[in-house]
Amino acid sequence: MTPAQLSRTIRYVLPHALPDGEVDRFVGKGAAGDAALFGGVRVVVESPPKRGAGDYATGVAFQVAAACGRPAREIAQQLCARLEGEVGAVGGAEVVGGGFVNVTLTNEARVALLRALTESGPTEAAAPTGPTAPTTSTAPAMSVEPSTSAESNRSADRRTSTEAGTPPTAPADSVAPPVAPTDVPARDIPRWAAATGEDPAVLAVRTERASSLFRVQYAHARVCSLLRNGRRLGLRPEAESAVPLGAAGARLLALLADRARITAAGPLARHLDAVAHAFAAFHDVCPPLPRGEEKPGAAHRGRLALAEATGAVLAGGLSQLGVSAPAHL
C-alpha cells in the first residue's frame, strides 16, 4: 500500500470515524451531508516524524475535528479502529499526541510495496551502464571484490571509477540518464544548486558531511556496489526475505514510499537527501552483505531488496532533477 492508496482508503472510511448519528447531527443526513463535512478534507499521508513508530502518519483527524467540533484524539481513535478492522493491508494503527494517526502495514503489504518501488524506477544498478551499454538488469556484472564494510565499498567504487573513466560531458540542457558510469560535477552541481538554493562552492566539496549532492549520489553508487558484490557472492535481492523490518528498515521503506507524492524540485532534492541519510543508517545497522566469517543468508537477500528499491528511488529522483545517478564514485 502506497501513501496515495492509504490516503484514498482514509477518505473512504472518514465518514464512519464518528459515532453513529454524529455526521447527521453536524451536517445533515445523507450523502450530501457527508460531502459537506469531508469533501474539503485533504488527507496527507507521509512518513512518520519522530513522534512515533509506523510506516505512515496522517494528521487528518485535526481537520475533521475542526469541522465537526469533536476532540481530534477521539476522531483519531475512531479512525484507527476502522483502519485496523476493515483494511487488510493495515497491521496496526495508533494515536500519537493530540490526534496524529500512525499506521503500520502488514508484512505482506510491505513486501508488495517493496516490489512496486523497485519496479517503478530504474533498476539497472546491478551493472554499469553507459551510452552504448545495455540498459537492462542482464548486463554483465563488474569484477569487484566482495566488500565487508562501507569503507571497502567506497574503495572498490574509487578503483572501478578510475578504470571506467569519465563519460563525455552532456549538453547543459540535457537530462542525465537514469544510471551513468560516473557523475559529471560540472553539470550536476549547478542543477542541484538551482533546485536547493545551496552554494555551489559547498556542493563542490565532495564529502558526505559537506555536500548533500554527494551524499545522494554516493548512496546510489553504494547501492550499485552492494548489488554487484552481492552477485559475486551469489546473493540476489529477495523482497519476501525483507520482513520483518527493523526500525531502520521501516524508516527507510517509509521514506521510499513517500517519494511518489513529492514533485517540486527543491522538496524532491531534500527528500532524496533524507533517503540517503536513512539508507546510511540502515546500512550500518543491517549490513546487506555478510561480514567476516558470516555466511550469506535470507536476511542479506532481504536487505539487498531494500537496497535495490533505494537505488531505484534515488536514480528516478536524480534523473527527474537532471542529475547523474552514478554507478561509481
Side-chain angles (χ1 to χ4, degrees):
M1 175 176 280
T2 66
Q5 291 169 333
L6 181 57
S7 177
R8 290 192 294 269
T9 299
I10 291 174
R11 178 172 290 279
Y12 174 78
V13 303
L14 270 177
H16 310 286
L18 293 174
D20 293 341
E22 287 296 314
V23 173
D24 293 347
R25 183 196 304 177
F26 286 107
V27 298
K29 297 182 179 181
D34 290 355
L37 176 58
F38 300 107
V41 172
R42 181 169 177 259
V43 183
V44 176
V45 175
E46 55 191 349
S47 56
K50 295 181 179 180
R51 63 174 62 94
D55 295 298
Y56 301 128
T58 181
V60 68
F62 291 100
Q63 297 183 60
V64 177
C68 71
R70 297 194 68 87
R73 186 173 182 84
E74 181 179 324
I75 301 297
Q77 289 171 339
Q78 292 291 327
L79 179 58
C80 286
R82 290 285 179 174
L83 290 173
E84 290 182 334
E86 301 177 11
V87 183
V90 173
E94 64 175 338
V95 181
V96 180
F100 291 96
V101 173
N102 283 14
V103 178
T104 300
L105 302 179
T106 63
N107 284 340
E108 293 77 11
R110 283 172 166 174
V111 169
L113 175 60
L114 197 52
R115 287 176 178 159
L117 288 169
T118 302
E119 295 168 359
S120 66
T123 56
E124 300 86 8
T129 61
T132 60
T135 58
T136 66
S137 59
T138 57
M142 291 292 293
S143 297
V144 182
E145 291 301 316
S147 66
T148 56
S149 66
E151 182 59 37
S152 58
N153 282 340
R154 185 180 296 110
S155 299
D157 283 344
R158 286 172 179 164
R159 290 196 303 271
T160 49
S161 174
T162 302
E163 294 165 2
T166 302
T169 301
D173 58 350
S174 67
V175 175
V179 178
T182 60
D183 61 334
V184 185
R187 177 193 63 197
D188 295 341
I189 290 176
R191 291 181 177 181
W192 187 271
T196 63
E198 295 177 81
D199 185 351
V202 174
L203 295 174
V205 180
R206 292 164 65 80
T207 66
E208 291 180 85
R209 180 182 296 273
S211 171
S212 60
L213 171 61
F214 186 82
R215 277 194 300 272
V216 174
Q217 290 183 315
Y218 177 68
H220 181 269
R222 180 184 290 181
V223 168
C224 293
S225 176
L226 289 168
L227 294 175
R228 288 193 303 268
N229 291 326
R231 290 171 62 160
R232 290 269 308 191
L233 296 174
L235 283 171
R236 299 278 182 164
E238 186 178 277
E240 292 80 2
S241 298
V243 293
L245 291 169
R251 170 65 176 166
L252 175 58
L253 181 59
L255 283 170
L256 296 178
D258 204 20
R259 156 69 182 95
R261 71 177 181 85
I262 302 172
T263 57
L268 174 56
R270 289 189 290 273
H271 184 76
L272 295 179
D273 191 20
V275 169
H277 276 290
F279 178 69
F282 167 75
H283 180 280
D284 291 343
V285 176
C286 305
L289 296 182
R291 292 178 172 178
E293 299 299 321
E294 185 181 11
K295 293 183 179 180
H300 299 107
R301 293 193 292 271
R303 295 167 189 172
L304 278 177
L306 191 51
E308 184 179 40
T310 301
V313 168
L314 290 175
L318 287 168
S319 180
Q320 184 174 328
L321 294 172
V323 176
S324 302
H328 305 283
L329 275 180

